[in-house]
Amino acid sequence: MIAPAITGFATGFSLILAIGAQNAFVLRQGLMRQHVFWLCLFCAASDALLIAAGVLGFGALVTAWPTLPLIMALAGAGFLIVYGAMRFVAAAKGDYAMEIEGKSRSLGAVIAIAAAFTWANPHVYLDTLGLIGAISTSFGDWSQRLAFGAGAVTSSFAFFFSLGYGARLLAPIMQKSGAWRVLDVIIGLTMWAIAAGLVNGVVSGAIG
């Protein structure tokens, strides 16, 4: 049981470790020290639901509706483009008094943005319903599959809470508006790069 759990933890951690829109948002909120617990809990719990669905064999949902990946890709790309543009505008203005003072949006607004980053991202379905679900089938019995899934879920909780609360270590650096400007430019570029990848995937699929 230990080996499948370790494999699940390593698999989940490797998939979530890459810099993405969701991770960048958690990092930014962690730096602001606002709604960190609930944001991390929401992101990790969302991953847990998707991982559970993948391990239980619902990966077929992705193929059941052929147009679902296209819809999710376009919706996700649109949201990322808009949010990336917002970060560029913020960087251009350079007014980071609220960030430096630790003020932020309401909890509802933060969770709504996190939900868009999580559930409108087609890659999360490929990673959880597809890849993790597929790997889980390599284990012989359900107890091993459940241990694998538990390991993957644990990795998600460990990652998001480490990222959210670990961001505070950078707080001394983020006491200047210039540091926030650099962060927002990096986040904006990340959002647009991911959006470009989604659009390119849609175009390639249409041409293919």
Side-chain angles (χ1 to χ4, degrees):
M1 298 295 290
I2 296 179
I6 293 176
T7 300
F9 187 93
T11 301
F13 203 84
S14 63
L15 290 175
I16 200 173
L17 188 60
I19 297 176
Q22 186 186 51
N23 297 351
F25 183 65
V26 172
L27 174 63
R28 197 174 194 281
Q29 287 300 124
L31 288 169
M32 296 177 69
R33 304 186 183 189
Q34 292 291 319
H35 311 306
V36 178
F37 175 81
W38 295 110
L39 174 60
C40 294
L41 180 62
F42 175 84
C43 292
S46 295
D47 268 8
L49 289 174
L50 290 167
I51 290 171
V55 171
L56 292 174
F58 290 103
L61 288 175
V62 178
T63 57
W65 290 279
T67 59
L68 181 60
L70 173 62
I71 295 173
M72 297 304 299
L74 292 177
F79 179 78
L80 291 173
I81 290 172
V82 172
Y83 189 81
M86 291 172 59
R87 299 275 56 87
F88 286 129
V89 170
K93 291 182 177 179
D95 183 13
Y96 290 101
M98 291 183 62
E99 283 79 358
I100 293 175
E101 294 174 6
K103 298 179 181 178
S104 70
R105 304 175 180 86
S106 66
L107 175 59
V110 170
I111 296 301
I113 294 174
F117 281 138
T118 303
W119 298 94
N121 178 10
H123 289 298
V124 74
Y125 297 98
L126 296 176
D127 288 345
T128 54
L129 294 178
L131 185 57
I132 291 181
I135 294 176
S136 70
T137 62
S138 65
F139 295 97
D141 55 59
W142 273 105
S143 61
Q144 291 180 324
R145 292 187 186 183
L146 292 177
F148 171 83
V153 168
T154 301
S155 72
S156 182
F157 275 86
F159 176 83
F160 280 116
F161 278 92
S162 296
L163 179 62
Y165 285 101
R168 299 184 179 188
L169 298 176
L170 299 175
I173 302 176
M174 305 305 292
Q175 292 303 307
K176 296 182 179 180
S177 60
W180 280 99
R181 179 181 283 114
V182 171
L183 176 64
D184 271 345
V185 169
I186 293 174
I187 291 177
L189 291 173
T190 300
M191 301 299 171
W192 280 12
I194 297 173
L198 291 176
V199 173
N200 181 64
V202 170
V203 173
S204 299
I207 295 176

